[in-house]
Amino acid sequence: MALDGDASPRGVVSQYVSYKVSQVDLCSQFGKVDLWYMPGNHDELATVFLAEALRGWFSQRADVSVSDTIHSLRASLYGTTLIATYHGHDLRVRDLGEIIPKRFPQLWGKSLHRYCFTGHYHTERELPAKSDITILRMPSFCGTDEWHYDQGYSSRRAINAYVIDKTKAGIGLTDELVK
């Protein structure tokens, strides 16, 4: 789904919520979906509005839950795998390997495999960590806007889906370019 058409505030919000609903519907075909929303550096208020819109949209669906808290660093245990998410703009990403075990000691202790997914810089790569965790920076579906272009930055416009097994080490990656 392309985000184009009505550029009024209402049109932009309507298109964005519809886009997110379609993503959740797609993911829910494979199992229960837990939505975590965390503020980024450009859209803190929009994140709150989106989370509340999706909470209402999916309120009658048992296969979709929307977190009622907004945190910049989240973690959960999926089988034997710790999954953490962090936008990437407040804490130093290189310190996440020390921060995550301190902030989530029970999850860390129960996990055999550990991943943290981050963004902010809109480029994809594995980042160095100071502990036994894989930190993956994800690309952005936004692409390169005027400010980033003027500053000399560019990135591949993409959305990655990571498939994590409950018991096996490693993850699979599905990459689909946004059209």
Side-chain angles (χ1 to χ4, degrees):
M1 168 188 258
L3 292 177
D4 57 10
D6 183 0
S8 69
R10 182 176 183 205
V12 169
V13 170
S14 175
Q15 289 174 63
Y16 190 58
V17 171
S18 295
Y19 177 67
K20 290 299 180 183
V21 166
S22 68
Q23 285 181 319
V24 173
D25 281 337
L26 176 65
C27 291
S28 70
Q29 295 176 33
F30 302 98
K32 186 172 181 339
V33 177
D34 295 318
L35 297 176
W36 298 351
Y37 281 90
M38 62 194 68
N41 58 318
H42 298 286
D43 66 349
E44 290 186 48
L45 186 57
T47 299
V48 173
F49 282 115
L50 179 62
E52 292 306 315
L54 293 177
R55 181 184 330 288
W57 189 278
F58 292 109
S59 65
Q60 302 302 310
R61 296 233 338 233
D63 62 333
V64 178
S65 69
V66 181
S67 174
D68 61 354
T69 59
I70 296 178
H71 296 290
S72 62
L73 177 61
R74 300 288 302 251
S76 185
L77 197 62
Y78 180 68
T80 58
T81 302
L82 180 143
I83 302 170
T85 59
Y86 173 62
H87 177 261
H89 70 287
D90 286 328
L91 304 170
R92 292 189 321 197
V93 173
R94 67 176 173 257
D95 294 336
L96 289 175
E98 295 173 332
I99 294 169
I100 292 170
K102 289 176 185 172
R103 199 166 288 181
F104 308 102
Q106 290 85 8
L107 300 179
W108 189 271
K110 292 179 181 178
S111 63
L112 299 177
H113 320 290
R114 301 168 182 114
Y115 297 94
C116 180
F117 298 94
T118 185
H120 185 56
Y121 288 105
H122 300 205
T123 57
E124 58 188 310
R125 64 180 49 116
E126 186 173 330
L127 301 169
K130 296 178 182 178
S131 65
D132 182 24
I133 188 167
T134 301
I135 300 175
L136 298 169
R137 185 170 25 194
M138 300 178 295
S140 170
F141 69 89
C142 298
T144 304
D145 61 19
E146 184 177 347
W147 184 88
H148 286 91
Y149 180 82
D150 289 346
Q151 298 299 312
Y153 300 118
S154 65
S155 62
R156 183 174 72 93
R157 185 177 187 203
I159 295 177
N160 288 353
Y162 299 87
V163 180
I164 300 170
D165 189 277
K166 275 189 166 184
T167 58
K168 298 178 183 173
I171 58 174
L173 168 67
T174 344
D175 180 19
E176 180 179 326
L177 288 177
V178 179
K179 300 197 179 0

